[in-house]
């Protein structure tokens, strides 16, 4: 076989492999175009239109975006509620998830029971968990308020109907379902080399110093990952808020996606809702880029 024939055969084999590769990934490409990229492009177009589903979209340029920031007070309110929700929820989920992961990483008796108990709430579907939370926080039917009154003598509020407590009750539900974050932290803890802890003990470090100088620095990549995921999830929160409060009371839990749903489905303003969706995507991208930009200053990838 001469060099020319060998080259043609090699090119034929590569082309055949490429065709087989395209054939295997084609279902994913089809799904991405039809169910992700296509709707995103259509939504971006609709954000520049007035569209009520019944009539054809009418091009109105930037009017939807101008209205969002100049005349819609509820939109500004939803932005602030979402920021408040994220600033409370994300640190709590990270701290509680890491604390639970450290707890179940210890070698103690009945640890498997603890692991199952702490992880179990996260496998409960969010809708079912929200309905359960509705009963749990109900001042007449639930057992939380009677228990607090019995133990402390304090008369607790109607959590989901009190403007000062409703948002934090929803945050509590999110923290209750911290199991997935906990398991990611557990995987990160088990990747830390034992040699580092042994060296720290030889240097006279106590538990707090080992936590400060070994555990936390080595866990920064995992914290970084959970931080980005937590921010994205917070800005996309919908089901629990919709089931528990529908944005009330007094719009104190009017989180961004709930308001987007209200505009798009209840008021049938699809163009306006599409503009809100476009800004939501930009906000998530900007926050993710900001976190990635600062990661060089606090995330370490050293593994000894």
């Amino acid at each position: 076989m001469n060099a020319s024939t060998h080259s043609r055969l090699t090119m034929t084999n590569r082309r055949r492999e490429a065709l087989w590769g395209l054939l295997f990934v084609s279902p994913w490409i089809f799904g991405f175009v039809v169910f992700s990229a296509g709707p995103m492009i259509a939504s971006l177009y609709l954000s520049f239109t007035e569209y009520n589903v019944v009539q054809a979209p009418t091009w109105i340029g930037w009017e939807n975006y101008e209205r969002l920031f100049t005349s819609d007070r509820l939109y500004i309110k939803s932005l602030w509620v979402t920021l408040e929700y994220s600033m409370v929820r994300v640190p709590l989920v990270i701290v509680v998830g890491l604390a639970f992961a450290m707890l179940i990483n210890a070698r103690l008796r009945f640890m498997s029971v603890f692991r199952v108990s702490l992880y179990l709430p996260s496998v409960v579907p969010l809708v079912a968990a929200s309905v359960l939370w509705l009963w749990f926080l109900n001042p007449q039917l639930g057992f939380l308020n009677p228990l607090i009154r019995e133990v402390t003598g304090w008369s607790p509020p109607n959590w989901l109907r009190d403007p000062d407590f409703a948002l934090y009750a929803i945050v509590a539900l999110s923290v209750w379902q911290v199991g997935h974050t906990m398991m990611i932290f557990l995987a990160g803890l088990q990747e830390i080399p034992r040699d580092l802890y042994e060296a720290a003990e030889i240097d006279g470090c106590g538990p707090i110093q080992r936590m400060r100088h070994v555990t936390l620095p080595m866990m920064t990549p995992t914290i970084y990952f959970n931080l980005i995921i937590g921010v994205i999830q917070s800005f996309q929160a919908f089901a629990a808020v919709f089931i528990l409060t529908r944005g009330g009371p007094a719009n104190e839990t009017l989180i961004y996606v709930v308001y987007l749903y209200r505009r798009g489905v209840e008021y049938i303003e699809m163009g306006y809702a599409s503009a809100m969706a476009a800004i939501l995507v930009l906000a998530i991208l900007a926050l993710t880029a900001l976190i990635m930009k600062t990661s060089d200053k606090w995330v370490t990838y050293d593994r000894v």
Side-chain angles (χ1 to χ4, degrees):
M1 182 184 299
N2 57 36
S4 176
T5 304
H6 178 74
S7 177
R8 282 199 300 273
L9 285 175
T10 301
M11 290 298 293
T12 302
N13 289 334
R14 288 180 178 175
R15 192 176 292 112
R16 186 182 296 116
E17 289 176 358
L19 289 174
W20 276 109
L22 284 174
L23 179 64
F24 282 120
V25 301
S26 58
W28 182 89
I29 294 174
F30 176 79
F32 175 75
V33 171
V34 173
F35 299 110
S36 295
M40 287 175 66
I41 295 171
S43 176
L44 182 61
Y45 167 74
L46 289 176
S47 71
F48 294 99
T49 67
E50 183 179 357
Y51 181 44
N52 62 5
V53 180
V54 179
Q55 298 174 328
T58 305
W59 183 267
I60 57 174
W62 293 94
E63 283 188 23
N64 286 329
Y65 293 94
E66 292 176 5
R67 180 183 163 196
L68 282 172
F69 293 103
T70 57
S71 61
D72 192 345
R73 293 182 179 178
L74 279 182
Y75 176 72
I76 303 300
K77 176 73 177 180
S78 71
L79 272 178
W80 172 246
V81 171
T82 306
L83 285 174
E84 185 180 1
Y85 174 77
S86 302
M87 287 189 292
V88 176
R89 177 190 176 272
V90 174
L92 270 178
V93 166
I94 288 177
V95 170
V96 174
L98 181 58
F100 283 175
M102 294 178 68
L103 176 66
I104 65 175
N105 194 40
R107 296 178 181 177
L108 301 174
R109 294 183 64 186
F110 307 115
M111 188 49 65
S112 58
V113 176
F114 281 110
R115 289 183 176 183
V116 172
S117 301
L118 292 174
Y119 185 70
L120 197 58
S122 65
V123 301
V124 178
L126 187 54
V127 173
S130 302
V131 174
L132 178 65
W133 218 245
L134 270 177
W135 165 77
F136 178 65
L137 296 177
N138 188 295
Q140 283 80 41
L141 304 177
F143 65 85
L144 179 63
N145 283 15
L147 179 65
I148 293 175
R149 276 195 296 269
E150 185 71 23
V151 174
T152 66
W154 176 56
S155 183
N158 186 343
W159 302 100
L160 296 175
R161 295 293 176 267
D162 191 316
D164 294 329
F165 293 95
L167 187 64
Y168 303 106
I170 297 169
V171 171
L173 168 60
S174 183
V175 174
W176 180 64
Q177 290 195 303
V178 77
H180 294 305
T181 304
M182 177 188 71
M183 296 306 292
I184 294 171
F185 276 130
L186 178 63
L189 286 172
Q190 294 180 345
E191 285 295 316
I192 299 176
R194 305 304 304 174
D195 296 348
L196 295 179
Y197 288 110
E198 293 171 0
E201 287 180 2
I202 292 172
D203 291 340
C205 292
I208 296 177
Q209 290 174 313
R210 289 200 297 274
M211 174 75 179
R212 178 183 174 187
H213 297 295
V214 178
T215 304
L216 287 180
M218 300 304 291
M219 287 295 291
T220 50
T222 314
I223 295 172
Y224 171 56
F225 174 79
N226 280 326
L227 177 62
I228 290 178
I229 297 298
V231 169
I232 294 172
Q233 289 177 338
S234 297
F235 273 75
Q236 293 179 332
F238 173 74
V241 183
F242 187 75
I243 293 170
L244 292 176
T245 64
R246 291 181 178 265
N251 295 317
E252 288 301 320
T253 63
L254 186 62
I255 215 159
Y256 196 99
V257 181
V258 171
Y259 188 52
L260 189 155
Y261 170 85
R262 187 182 290 180
R263 282 292 175 188
V265 177
E266 296 181 2
Y267 299 150
I268 319 180
E269 294 181 303
M270 289 298 178
Y272 194 69
S274 297
M276 290 183 63
I279 292 176
L280 177 63
V281 171
L282 291 177
I284 291 175
L285 287 175
L287 286 172
T288 304
L290 180 64
I291 296 172
M292 294 176 70
K293 186 75 174 176
T294 61
S295 66
D296 292 341
K297 301 183 185 303
W298 61 277
V299 178
T300 175
Y301 294 98
D302 292 338
R303 284 281 192 265
V304 178

